[in-house]
Amino acid sequence: MMPAWASRLGASRGQERALEEERSRTQAALQVMPHMLLELDAEERLLRGHPGWLDHLPLLGPMEQGQGLQDFLPADLATEVRRALSEVETTGAPVSRDWQLRHAGTRIWLAISAARLPPLAPDGRPGHAVMICDTTELHAQRKQADRLGKFAQLTMNLVIVTDPEQRIEWVNAAFEQQTGHPGQSVRGQLLCAVLQGTPAPGGCGDRLSAMLAEGQPARAEVEATAACGRSFWLDVSIQPLLDDEGALDGYMAVASDITAHKRQEEQLAALAAEARAARARIAAAVDVLPDGFAYFDAEDRLVVFNPQYRDCYPSAAQVIVPGATFEQILRQAVQAGDILEARGREEDWLAQRLAAHHHGNNQLEQQLADGRWLRVIERQTPDGGRVGLRVDVTALKLAEQRTRIDFSATMDASQDGIAFTDPEGRYIYMNPAHRQMFGIATEDEILGRSWRDLYAGDVADHIATAALPALLSTGGWRGELIGRRRDGSDLPQEVSLTLKADGGIICISRDISKRLREQQERTRLREELQMAQRREVIGQLASGLAHDLNNLLAAIGGSALLIRELQPGAAEVHAQRILAATEQAGALVRRFLTLGKRQSNRSRIDLLPLLREAADLVQAGLRNRTRLTLALPDAPVWIEADPTDILQVVLNLVINARDAISTAPPREGGHEISVTLAPAGPAQLAQPYAVGAPCADRRYVSMTVSDSGPGIEPSMQAKVFQPYFSTKGAAGTGLGLAIVTGVLTANQGAIALQSVPGEGTRFTVLWPVEPPDAAVPPDEPAPQFALPAAAEPAPSGPEARPAGHLAGRTILVADDNADVLRVLVAFLEGAGAEVVPCSDPRDALAALRDDPQIWDLLVTDYDMPQISGADLCRAANELAPDLPVLLITALPDWRSRMSAPAPRFTGELGKPLGRATLLDAAERAIGGKGG
């Protein structure tokens, strides 16, 4: 049996061994711990210590029992540990704090933890346990995590963190703003359910679920739905989160809003489609262009072309493909001989052509070997490329050639002389008309010679000193010159000179010999017309004087007849002497009347040449874009007339039309004067005429002069035929139409006027085809029965007129000359008539109105105050259509004084007249009445 002490000793040794083993295990555990462990007594002296893996700390020395903290720790670290221990003593609770240490230029983060240890002895003070950990790496990780957290909160991208079951654990602010879901409300919900809103097959949820189920990184574009129902597109990148053991710990999804990008993609897709369509349209348009088209890029490589471009160069067609350079295509065409002008100098031509191609915009023409002509047009594009057109101008070239041929033929056929000179004044071309004017037989005789050879010395000097300086300063000169024909004769010319670009001269020459002759003829006719007008004035004056003298002679002659009848015998001789004197005075008056009249020179003439001559005379004076047209029959129109009379009528009417048009405003297409000649038909013979009255049983020609001028007011139409009346003011004489009416009256013609203001005027002239009756003097109108205007010898014997031949007849006589009136009354009363004399025509008109049926005959003078004989006759024609009216006048031209158509006179007698003439006319007039 073992003693008790031995048992206690054994037990003590066993405890020691157990304690030693525990201590060994603890020491082994401490060796693998990375942290520094310190056990301190109440006085903060080291009891035990383990440096751990902090061997990189700047320790002052090895740790030994009994040392103070400052003996083995850096001073700053020792101070920080004491602060932790002091806080433990104060609070009684463990303390942990981070502390930063700088060593060897690096920053080391340490975590200091301190706690109170129970005292070793029951009455002892408690010690402390201190653990110092190197948290530099952990701090860096924590800092990075903080930064990532801030980035996740501040980024515009949506950041979502889920657990392995895809339930949301965390979202950033961008997610909340974009989706409208607060973070708290979506935490724990499935990611797809939150993004999609209302689930739909194939929607966001299905696509994300499929991606998440794979557990692999994935990326997709999905259309999500916000809380408000708004759809938006997200580019979602999903990364699985693994734990330390590599097991799935969740997912992190980062999504960016690509809605705008999607919209832009849609717009770009639409624009691309539109561009493709536009390109297709352009390609189609290029293909249908009639011209060759090609586009070369900035590197001069072919990009687009149409078949027509390839057809321009058939030998180079195999190299005309996209990507080929312009030089390759051109060189192939030149080597194949397609370009005619490059033959024989291929390399030089290629160099020049390529230089032109690269020198901005250019245009040229090429002739191909097959005879075609191409117009090459090249334009540079803003991107540095070039657009080329090949226009087939073969037809244009041929037309140009034909035009040059036609131009040469035209110049050769021109009636005007055309000549070209070089800058030195030597002829290089002269057409046949120019050579013919100068009497030059062939072109060889004049080519190379100076223009001075065709002019006399003084004329050539005038051209050099006057015409050529003006030509050089203004580029043109026009004037009249006298050339010298080869036979030495003068050639009047109208010359137009034009300066060519090379300094040469274009000369257009016209022979004006005929024009000068025409001017001379016009001058002659104008002088003759003026002479006729002067004669007309004299005739008007003579007519007025003759009227008064004839009245006196009528009174003298009548008185002599009465004396002879009433006092036969002794008074017979004196009365016979008075009658003889009266007859001589009448002859003198008739001779006096011929002073103002041109002797008629009638002949058988064709009207057509006269009308053409009149048109030529007026043509040069036409103004205001006025055309003169003639409408003449093909066959000659023969009449008996004086050619001067015809010219006077036509010229006066056409000149009046020209002058009227000159006052009219211009109109589109210009104005027109037309002269028409045709046989007069029944309708024309029946219409009213202002002057003259055509006979139904005679043939007439109708000459119509119409214009498109301003026309004549109705109030003026009745006055235009009156002498000295003019609408031209001081520029008119008022005798033009008076001359026309005088000529027509003398030739038993007629004239009518139709005019509408603003539309124009038309004069219609009737001219008798047969000559007037030879028994009627051409200067006096032809009455229904002509009576001699001379006193006859007194009847005697058995041939004397018996008294009372007009017995029972009531005759109204009107004449403002009292002496003539008494003679007429005595003549008529002597024949047995009952006569009512009226010296005032108004009294005669009143008597007619009182009882128009009691009168058998009206005898009236023409020229009376207030009312003319024509007015009185017109009233009688209306009041008593069957009443015969006998006109007795001293005015041979009384018809030209009327402003209205002539009334119907039964007979016309001139003054002075004899009794037998008057009585015979009265008897015939009353007999024609039927009574």
Side-chain angles (χ1 to χ4, degrees), residues 73-81 83 99 101:
L73 291 178
D76 294 342
L77 180 58
T79 301
E80 190 65 25
V81 172
R83 290 194 186 100
W99 186 74
L101 173 69

Side-chain angles (χ1 to χ4, degrees), residues 19 76 82 85 158 175 252 298 326 339 412 443 453 479 595 598 609 644 656 681 734 744 765 770 789 883:
L19 181 61
D76 294 342
R82 287 192 185 96
L85 294 177
L158 284 67
F175 176 91
M252 175 179 288
F326 176 79
I339 302 175
D412 288 345
E443 197 173 29
D453 295 340
L595 292 177
R598 179 183 55 83
T644 303
N656 280 350
L744 292 175
V765 173
E770 294 83 8
L883 177 63

Side-chain angles (χ1 to χ4, degrees), residues 561-602:
L561 287 173
L562 293 175
I563 293 172
R564 187 179 62 181
E565 292 178 357
L566 295 176
Q567 298 179 6
E572 178 90 17
V573 177
H574 300 290
Q576 189 65 36
R577 188 181 300 115
I578 294 174
L579 289 175
T582 301
E583 184 176 355
Q584 293 176 4
L588 179 62
V589 168
R590 286 190 293 274
R591 289 179 58 192
F592 181 65
L593 288 174
T594 62
L595 292 177
K597 298 189 179 293
R598 179 183 55 83
Q599 295 300 315
S600 177
N601 185 18
R602 297 182 188 276

Side-chain angles (χ1 to χ4, degrees), residues 225-545:
T225 304
C228 64
R230 176 179 60 87
S231 297
F232 57 95
W233 281 88
L234 293 175
D235 182 6
V236 181
S237 177
I238 300 177
Q239 295 289 337
L241 301 178
L242 304 178
D243 59 10
D244 295 340
E245 297 178 358
L248 182 64
D249 191 35
Y251 297 93
M252 175 179 288
V254 178
S256 58
D257 188 347
I258 59 172
T259 304
H261 176 69
K262 276 290 186 180
R263 301 290 184 266
Q264 187 176 11
E265 279 186 350
E266 293 175 356
Q267 294 176 357
L268 289 176
L271 291 175
E274 183 178 353
R276 288 192 296 272
R279 183 182 179 89
R281 289 193 298 269
I282 292 175
V286 167
D287 287 343
V288 300
L289 281 175
D291 306 322
F293 174 88
Y295 169 67
F296 294 84
D297 61 16
E299 297 179 357
D300 216 14
R301 295 188 177 276
L302 184 60
V303 178
V304 178
F305 66 95
N306 63 356
Q308 291 79 358
Y309 183 82
R310 178 179 286 161
D311 294 341
C312 292
Y313 307 104
S315 299
Q318 68 274 13
V319 299
I320 301 178
V321 294
T325 65
F326 176 79
E327 183 176 356
Q328 291 173 340
I329 297 172
L330 186 65
R331 186 174 293 278
Q332 180 65 28
V334 170
Q335 291 175 353
D338 280 351
I339 302 175
L340 193 61
E341 61 179 317
R343 292 182 178 179
R345 57 185 194 99
E346 285 80 1
E347 292 301 324
D348 292 342
W349 188 90
L350 274 172
Q352 295 175 2
R353 179 68 184 89
L354 290 174
H357 174 73
H358 293 106
H359 181 37
N361 303 331
N362 66 87
Q363 180 172 324
L364 53 94
E365 291 183 350
Q366 288 179 351
Q367 186 177 11
L368 303 182
D370 57 6
R372 289 179 299 158
W373 279 88
L374 296 180
R375 178 169 295 158
V376 179
I377 303 172
E378 295 178 332
R379 296 291 184 267
Q380 191 169 9
T381 59
D383 61 355
R386 289 183 179 280
V387 170
L389 285 177
R390 301 296 185 272
V391 183
D392 190 336
V393 294
T394 306
L396 181 61
K397 280 292 185 180
L398 294 176
E400 288 180 355
Q401 294 175 3
R402 289 193 298 269
T403 299
R404 286 194 292 269
I405 295 173
D406 294 343
F407 177 69
S408 178
T410 300
M411 289 193 297
D412 288 345
S414 173
Q415 298 298 316
D416 292 334
I418 302 174
F420 297 161
T421 72
D422 60 14
E424 286 72 33
R426 294 185 295 268
Y427 285 109
I428 58 176
Y429 171 79
M430 182 178 290
N431 73 340
H434 202 290
R435 297 198 306 269
Q436 184 180 3
M437 277 191 289
F438 284 90
I440 300 172
T442 63
E443 197 173 29
D444 295 336
E445 296 181 24
I446 191 62
L447 294 185
R449 298 180 60 180
S450 174
W451 58 267
R452 285 181 170 271
D453 295 340
L454 301 183
Y455 296 94
D458 56 341
V459 178
D461 293 340
H462 171 73
I463 295 174
T465 57
L468 294 185
L471 176 66
L472 294 175
S473 62
T474 64
W477 181 85
R478 180 186 296 271
E480 293 184 0
L481 299 172
I482 302 297
R484 183 174 59 189
R485 295 187 178 92
R486 295 299 293 271
D487 60 5
S489 61
D490 289 341
L491 171 63
Q493 292 176 280
E494 182 181 58
V495 177
S496 174
L497 302 180
T498 302
L499 188 65
K500 294 196 300 181
D502 61 355
I505 299 174
I506 301 174
C507 174
I508 300 177
S509 177
R510 178 174 297 174
D511 186 347
I512 59 174
S513 303
K514 180 180 178 182
R515 191 180 76 185
L516 294 178
R517 290 193 298 270
E518 291 175 349
Q519 288 178 350
Q520 294 173 357
E521 179 65 16
R522 281 196 294 271
T523 301
R524 183 190 66 79
L525 290 173
R526 188 180 301 110
E527 292 174 352
E528 186 173 338
L529 180 60
Q530 293 172 354
M531 180 62 69
Q533 290 175 341
R534 288 195 295 269
R535 288 171 177 170
E536 187 70 19
V537 172
I538 295 173
Q540 295 286 341
L541 177 60
S543 178
L545 293 176

